[in-house]
Amino acid sequence: MKTLQFRQAIAEAMSEEMRNDESIYLMGEEVAEYNGAYKASKGMLDEFGPDRVIDTPIAELGFAGIGIGSTMGGNRPIIEFMTFNFALVGIDQIINNAAKIRQMSGGQFPCPIVFRGPTGSAGQLGATHSQAFESWYANCPGLKVVVPSNPADAKGLLKASIRDNDPVIFMESEQMYGDKGEVPEGDYTIPLGVAAIRREGTDVTIVSFGKIIKEADKAADELAKENISCEIIDLRTVKPLDYETVLKSVKKTNRLIILEEAWPFGNVATELTYHVQSNAFDYLDAPIIKINTADTPAPYSPVLLAEWLPDYKDVIEAVKKVMYK
């Protein structure tokens, strides 16, 4: 094992795959000369040159479409968005082309492309730069959606995403790029659609993904002092979603809380809630609780932002509610 920052794990994953396959290239704003807006492609221009690490204008619709079209000629592009908020400019290409090329061509053209960049809030960035779109993309057939929470998962899942023959939405966080963690040496991948049990527990299941899972970890540490045992599941992949791991845990703990940085209407937590009550209703000793942001655009005020975004205190309150304490 070695210790890497999240951004280094991303760069390693891309570089290792590009060394092994010349059809892979990286394209996006500031990915080359500037080493990436968050330094997640540091050194890649020097190694692979401007034909495979390509700076673009501020034109997400254009370079998303170029990447998708290039898959039809045998390429496997990695498209970086400076933030997925900006991907809204190119979402027509993602939804109407990347997600549908395989079906509409009768299977003649797979679309092996990765769209990656940060999702969700990252401090005082304002409403238009603080949105989480995981559930939007997961709602579209033909797309896979990956949201890692640590450097080891980031590297293994990104390598698996690059090798996948379907379009993958790979969502990171500006607030995680400096996070450090142990990463296995050598080549490894983590299969898409497999959740990870981060913490074994017996009293309540907490499901989360991405950077906000840190709040679940904090809550579990505090609750352990009161002899409440939390099991924490990191989904890692939102689409396909690992229902079985969640169901198995709920059948053990009999309680479920879902923590997700997203608006409350029609999100990943909503889908998971429906699936669990449909398939494990008799095992539940309390109603499922989902914890989301407030149903408003993200505020700029730090005081309001702290109220808008869920934290470990909200998790502790929810756990005690389902425990009837």
Side-chain angles (χ1 to χ4, degrees), residues 4 7 19 26 72 94 125 154 171-172 223-224 256 262 308:
L4 292 179
R7 60 169 58 89
R19 291 180 196 122
L26 172 65
M72 302 177 77
I94 298 170
L125 298 180
M171 309 181 97
E172 303 154 14
L223 290 163
L256 175 61
W308 179 84

Side-chain angles (χ1 to χ4, degrees), residues 4 16 20 36 48 59 61 65-66 74 81 95 126 128 136 157 162-163 168 195 201 215 229 232 270 289-290 296 310:
L4 292 179
E16 288 176 9
N20 292 330
F48 300 104
L61 179 65
I66 289 169
F81 295 119
I95 300 299
T128 60
W136 285 32
L157 289 166
I162 294 168
R163 296 179 190 183
V168 178
E215 300 301 315
S229 174
I232 298 177
T270 304
I289 293 179
K290 64 190 193 81
T296 70

Side-chain angles (χ1 to χ4, degrees), residues 17-188:
E17 294 304 300
M18 288 175 68
R19 291 180 196 122
N20 292 330
D21 186 343
E22 291 189 356
S23 69
I24 301 169
Y25 66 90
L26 172 65
M27 181 165 61
E29 296 158 4
E30 299 185 353
V31 299
E33 296 289 348
Y34 193 66
N35 286 310
Y38 313 104
K39 300 298 180 279
S41 53
K42 187 175 182 179
M44 292 180 64
L45 175 62
D46 292 339
E47 178 174 356
F48 300 104
D51 289 339
R52 296 184 66 198
V53 182
I54 305 166
D55 276 332
T56 68
I58 302 173
E60 287 81 6
L61 179 65
F63 64 77
I66 289 169
I68 294 164
S70 77
T71 68
M72 302 177 77
N75 291 296
R76 306 181 72 90
I78 304 165
I79 304 299
E80 178 179 316
F81 295 119
M82 195 176 292
T83 160
F84 267 95
N85 296 282
F86 302 158
L88 294 182
V89 181
I91 200 170
D92 174 61
Q93 288 289 346
I94 298 170
I95 300 299
N96 281 328
N97 290 324
K100 296 175 175 61
I101 282 176
R102 181 191 286 272
Q103 185 194 53
M104 293 180 70
S105 68
Q108 295 177 83
F109 294 109
C111 188
I113 187 171
V114 175
F115 299 98
R116 50 160 294 270
T119 183
S121 64
Q124 291 178 263
L125 298 180
T128 60
H129 288 199
S130 303
Q131 304 168 104
F133 295 116
E134 292 90 335
S135 61
W136 285 32
Y137 291 108
N139 184 253
C140 180
L143 299 178
K144 297 178 180 179
V145 182
V146 180
V147 194
S149 66
N150 60 74
D153 281 3
K155 182 176 180 181
L157 289 166
L158 183 52
K159 287 169 71 72
S161 299
I162 294 168
R163 296 179 190 183
D164 201 287
N165 285 324
D166 290 313
V168 178
I169 308 295
F170 194 92
M171 309 181 97
E172 303 154 14
S173 168
E174 292 162 67
Q175 293 182 322
M176 288 198 299
Y177 285 120
D179 288 358
K180 293 182 178 180
E182 289 191 337
V183 175
E185 299 275 3
D187 182 45
Y188 73 97

